[in-house]
Amino acid sequence: MKRFYWLLLSMSGGLLAAGPGQAQTTVPATPAQPPAGTLPAAAPTGPWTLQRSIDYALQNNLTVRQQQLTSELQNATLRQSRATLLPTANLSGTQAWNYGTSLDPLTNDFVSQTIRSNNFSANSQVTLFSGFQLRNTVKRNALDSEASVLDIEKSRNDLALNVASAFLQLVLAEELVRTNEVRVSSTRSQVERTQKLLRAGSIPESNLLDIQAQLASDELNVITAQNQRDLARLSLTQLLNLPSPTGFQIEVPPLADPDDQPLLEADPDGTYQTAQSLLPEIKAADLRVRSAQRSLDIARGGYYPRLAFGAGIFTGFSSSRLARVFSGDSTQAVQIPIFQPGITGQPVPSQYFLLQPGQPKSEFLPAKFSNQLKDNLGKSLQFSLQIPILNGLQTRTSVQRAQINIQQQELRAEQTRLQLRQSIQQAYADAIAAQRRYLSARRQVEALTTAYRNAEIRFNNGLLNGTEFNIAKNNLTAAESTMIQAKYEFIFRRKVLDFYQGRPIQL
């Protein structure tokens, strides 16, 4: 919430009115332009209300859109971590040519010829246990993704407050222009009356010179107020990411004076409890603490063994592999005589013959591609176990870093709550001070108005010189400027408190 309080301070600086004694008012700093990118299409025509300005800024502001892309990246990381729980499956294939004497990749024989070989494989692996690191990674990324969504909401809230601040500054600047123009008109009328009184001899010429000098000062104040109005309009249009402030006009809502509202009662603790349960930056800080705790669980998982299961299938082809192929008969049929024992016991030929058929002819030819894929098919199953023993203290160091990160995130969450509490306390103090200052300034304006009317009567009757009359007029002008400043300062402080209490920002 520091940024919101900075807005409050910047608005206090921008509320300095262009009065006679404040002609050199400090111009509010123009907010930085959004990063380079595609400008939105032409904005709709017509006066802009605060709600319309906020809605348009939320749709077209580049900072919000960039935060949305950051959230989408975090969602992609979450999807990737969930996918790591699934088995992996991969197909691969290679084709190679070996020249000269080389080792056949399938037969492991040394051959001196050109070999063309193919290898095909399919592998799958799943992690069975890894110290719960994969599951804890999913849980951590889910917390980070949820926090990134809250970051978008915080960015939208910041933008809405920025737009409300710039819108009120423009409303104030336009009211100051109108107020200074009324003063110029009044001074011109006074100049005309003074000229008539001078011609009538009722007053000295110095009175006319003094009132003409006052007119020149009032006209300068009008120019200063117009410049501040143009700068305020430029700041708002740049915040809306509009291509040009030309033709940009706002619809000024009816704003109640602070004295029409009851005095604020300071209840920072109650507002803090409400804001703490509503604001996205508090929720995001708590989520990041839980994410850091999951990172510690992931780091501790490095102490546990890792068990994985894998399966694969393999086949291949080699052009040097040969296969025996039979191509038909290669010899004539042969009659083989059959012998039988004779009288003397010696074998003698009989009248029978054994017919030996022709023998088939065979030759070795390169094996077919499809046959080799079938013959070379191999399968594998594998369990792998890794037990960490000593890894350069990497796991221990990771655990220590994770523990420190938890402490850092807890401190950031505590710092976020502290800034919120201080911002609410400061907003209450500023709102109450602005309301009291307005009530005091209004009473001062009433008193100085009466004094100015009396001074005007005396001046017109020649009983008061021009210097004393201008002092009375400038005192009234300064009081009116202070009252206007306090009014818009109170309105903005009140809207900030409404925001902390969960109410929409509207006028």
Side-chain angles (χ1 to χ4, degrees):
M1 289 301 167
K2 262 189 174 180
R3 184 178 182 185
F4 297 162
Y5 184 61
W6 178 87
L7 287 172
L8 299 179
L9 295 178
S10 67
M11 186 171 180
S12 297
L15 288 173
L16 296 177
Q22 299 168 320
Q24 300 300 325
T25 302
T26 302
V27 178
T30 303
Q33 294 187 4
T38 303
L39 292 176
T45 58
W48 290 71
T49 62
L50 175 60
Q51 187 60 49
R52 179 183 177 187
S53 301
I54 292 176
D55 294 340
Y56 186 87
L58 293 177
Q59 294 176 1
N60 298 277
N61 185 265
L62 299 183
T63 302
V64 174
R65 289 160 60 184
Q66 184 177 7
Q67 190 62 53
Q68 291 172 343
L69 293 176
T70 301
S71 179
E72 292 180 7
L73 288 176
Q74 189 60 52
N75 289 335
T77 302
L78 174 60
R79 291 192 297 270
Q80 176 62 44
S81 61
R82 286 173 175 169
T84 57
L85 299 174
L86 303 175
T88 61
N90 297 284
L91 296 174
S92 64
T94 62
Q95 178 167 300
W97 286 267
N98 296 331
Y99 301 93
T101 302
S102 58
L103 185 67
D104 189 299
L106 295 179
T107 64
N108 290 326
D109 293 334
F110 282 98
V111 293
S112 182
Q113 66 181 59
T114 300
I115 301 175
R116 182 180 69 87
S117 60
N118 297 93
N119 291 317
F120 304 99
S121 64
N123 298 282
S124 179
Q125 185 174 353
V126 59
T127 301
L128 302 179
F129 181 76
S130 62
F132 304 106
Q133 287 182 319
L134 298 181
R135 294 186 180 275
N136 286 326
T137 300
V138 173
K139 295 178 180 179
R140 180 195 64 185
N141 291 341
L143 294 172
D144 291 339
S145 178
E146 188 176 353
S148 67
V149 174
L150 293 173
D151 289 340
I152 297 177
E153 186 177 350
K154 179 184 180 300
S155 179
R156 293 168 64 90
N157 289 341
D158 291 347
L159 179 61
L161 279 177
N162 291 340
V163 171
S165 173
F167 191 91
L168 283 175
Q169 288 190 38
L170 181 54
V171 173
L172 169 60
E174 291 187 344
E175 182 164 342
L176 289 177
V177 170
R178 291 192 296 269
T179 301
N180 282 279
E181 288 175 346
V182 170
R183 292 169 186 163
V184 169
S185 177
S186 175
T187 305
R188 285 175 179 169
S189 299
Q190 189 65 41
V191 169
E192 294 175 357
R193 287 194 299 270
T194 303
Q195 290 174 342
K196 294 179 181 179
L197 293 173
L198 178 62
R199 287 193 295 268
S202 301
I203 59 174
E205 185 180 3
S206 61
N207 285 11
L208 177 61
L209 297 178
D210 290 338
I211 199 64
Q212 287 176 341
Q214 182 63 44
L215 176 61
S217 298
D218 291 345
E219 291 175 344
L220 175 62
N221 292 334
V222 170
I223 299 301
T224 303
Q226 291 174 346
N227 292 337
Q228 290 185 344
R229 178 195 60 190
D230 295 340
L231 290 175
R233 180 184 293 112
L234 178 62
S235 298
L236 180 56
T237 55
Q238 288 179 343
L239 198 59
L240 298 180
N241 200 22
L242 292 176
S244 172
T246 303
F248 181 84
Q249 298 294 332
I250 62 172
E251 178 180 324
V252 180
L255 300 175
D257 293 332
D259 56 351
D260 295 336
Q261 304 182 31
L263 288 175
L264 284 176
E265 296 182 358
D267 184 21
D269 292 337
T271 302
Y272 169 73
Q273 296 300 329
T274 301
Q276 183 178 226
S277 61
L278 295 177
L279 292 184
E281 53 264 40
I282 302 297
K283 298 178 182 179
D286 292 338
L287 287 174
R288 289 190 166 93
V289 172
R290 295 169 55 189
S291 174
Q293 293 170 347
R294 287 296 179 184
S295 296
L296 177 60
D297 295 336
I298 295 172
R300 286 174 174 169
Y303 288 124
Y304 293 89
R306 300 177 64 89
L307 178 63
F309 170 75
I313 185 171
F314 167 84
T315 187
F317 167 80
S318 175
S319 61
S320 66
R321 185 167 185 177
L322 302 178
R324 188 176 183 181
V325 178
F326 295 95
S327 58
D329 296 342
S330 60
T331 59
Q332 298 293 330
V334 178
Q335 292 182 351
I336 301 176
I338 298 176
F339 294 87
Q340 61 183 6
I343 298 175
T344 60
Q346 295 295 327
V348 295
S350 66
Q351 59 180 351
Y352 301 101
F353 296 90
L354 179 64
L355 183 62
Q356 179 179 352
Q359 298 298 317
K361 181 181 179 181
S362 64
E363 57 181 335
F364 288 92
L365 298 176
K368 293 182 178 181
F369 184 83
S370 58
N371 293 339
Q372 287 199 43
L373 294 183
K374 180 178 178 180
D375 297 338
N376 295 331
L377 186 64
K379 302 175 183 178
S380 66
L381 298 176
Q382 178 182 354
F383 285 93
S384 61
L385 178 65
Q386 297 180 356
I387 302 177
I389 298 177
L390 181 64
N391 56 4
L393 301 181
Q394 292 182 1
T395 302
R396 182 185 298 272
T397 303
S398 298
V399 170
Q400 293 174 348
R401 289 177 177 174
Q403 291 172 339
I404 295 174
N405 185 41
I406 291 177
Q407 297 176 2
Q408 290 177 334
Q409 295 298 332
E410 290 175 345
L411 287 177
R412 291 191 181 101
E414 184 177 352
Q415 181 67 23
T416 302
R417 285 182 166 84
L418 178 61
Q419 291 176 356
L420 174 61
R421 182 185 294 274
Q422 293 176 348
S423 298
I424 292 175
Q425 292 173 345
Q426 188 66 46
Y428 264 106
D430 292 339
I432 293 175
Q435 190 176 30
R436 291 174 178 173
R437 188 154 58 95
Y438 175 83
L439 296 177
S440 177
R442 187 193 63 179
R443 291 191 294 269
Q444 184 184 28
V445 167
E446 293 173 354
L448 290 176
T449 299
T450 303
Y452 171 75
R453 291 173 180 172
N454 182 52
E456 186 178 17
I457 294 174
R458 295 172 62 194
F459 176 79
N460 292 335
N461 292 326
L463 302 176
L464 189 70
N465 59 41
T467 301
E468 293 175 339
F469 175 74
N470 289 337
I471 291 175
K473 181 180 178 65
N474 291 338
N475 289 338
L476 176 60
T477 299
E480 290 176 344
S481 299
T482 301
M483 184 178 67
I484 295 174
Q485 294 171 30
K487 173 183 177 180
Y488 284 92
E489 183 179 359
F490 171 78
I491 291 174
F492 183 73
R493 310 287 196 221
R494 189 59 184 266
K495 294 309 171 184
V496 172
L497 291 175
D498 290 343
F499 166 77
Y500 285 133
Q501 294 170 356
R503 303 190 187 111
I505 302 176
Q506 56 186 9
L507 297 177

